[in-house]
Amino acid sequence: MKESNQAFGQALVKSLIGERGHIPIARALSDITVDVAGKRTDNMPYSIYQLLMHMSYWQDFMLTYLEGGKPVLPTSVMESWPSEEQPEDAEKWQDTVEHFLQGVEKAVQMAQTTQLDEPINNFPGETKAGILRNIASHNSYHLGEIVLLRRLHGAWPPPGGGYPA
């Protein structure tokens, strides 16, 4: 891997896991209870559960491109938002968190090992770095909303504090 590719890959990893710019994404999610995950607040359009499901939808979508596939575009962005506001139970919530974090780890591995300027065959004009940057920025955007909802629900900070480490 070229030195510049490696440096950019390291920057992508930091963005994917949440280093420096915000709390690490795994720490922000690790202690959310099923009740908090499914709780709605007045004037907020979604729950933490719905946010994480939406994040997973698009992360999986982009990872499919990185793995050489061609995901099917939804007919509407609303298809990426679940209608159910809360998970069925604590096990479903934990599975949702684990699935999302496994996708983050997969993206991290790709950022560390792939040639980032390589074009994506099924996404003309896009590179692997571009897809990984998209995953990181989308997750970061919605992680801020999760943190805000946690604050509104009185479920902040997580163990270890609420600031980057």
Side-chain angles (χ1 to χ4, degrees):
M1 191 180 297
K2 295 181 200 172
E3 191 173 325
S4 62
N5 187 70
Q6 189 172 17
F8 187 63
Q10 290 170 354
L12 276 172
V13 167
K14 290 176 182 177
S15 294
L16 288 161
I17 63 173
E19 187 176 307
R20 296 198 184 145
H22 54 72
I23 187 171
I25 202 162
R27 189 155 45 118
L29 299 174
S30 65
D31 69 314
I32 298 173
T33 65
V34 67
D35 293 330
V36 170
K39 191 173 184 180
R40 284 286 302 272
T41 301
D42 290 341
N43 299 319
M44 294 300 290
Y46 30 68
S47 66
I48 291 172
Y49 173 70
Q50 288 171 307
L51 274 165
L52 194 60
M53 291 291 289
H54 170 79
M55 292 163 70
S56 287
Y57 179 96
W58 288 110
Q59 181 172 263
D60 291 347
F61 186 91
M62 292 295 169
L63 287 170
T64 299
Y65 277 123
L66 288 170
E67 294 168 334
K70 186 173 183 179
V72 177
L73 275 170
T75 56
S76 165
V77 73
M78 291 311 295
E79 290 178 38
S80 68
W81 289 95
S83 58
E84 57 277 348
E85 293 179 7
Q86 54 195 5
E88 297 164 14
D89 53 31
E91 184 178 346
K92 170 68 173 167
W93 171 241
Q94 284 307 310
D95 289 347
T96 301
V97 172
E98 287 176 29
H99 174 80
F100 176 76
L101 293 176
Q102 287 170 358
V104 170
E105 182 56 35
K106 190 181 288 187
V108 164
Q109 289 173 354
M110 289 179 179
Q112 293 171 328
T113 61
T114 192
Q115 186 59 42
L116 296 170
D117 61 355
E118 187 177 316
I120 302 291
N121 292 332
N122 292 320
F123 196 144
E126 188 58 89
T127 63
K128 291 183 177 184
I131 296 286
L132 289 164
R133 185 216 44 84
N134 191 320
I135 291 170
S137 63
H138 186 254
N139 286 349
S140 181
Y141 175 87
H142 288 302
L143 180 66
E145 294 177 307
I146 288 172
V147 169
L148 177 61
L149 285 172
R150 287 190 63 166
R151 287 177 185 267
L152 291 172
H153 299 324
W156 190 258
Y163 297 99

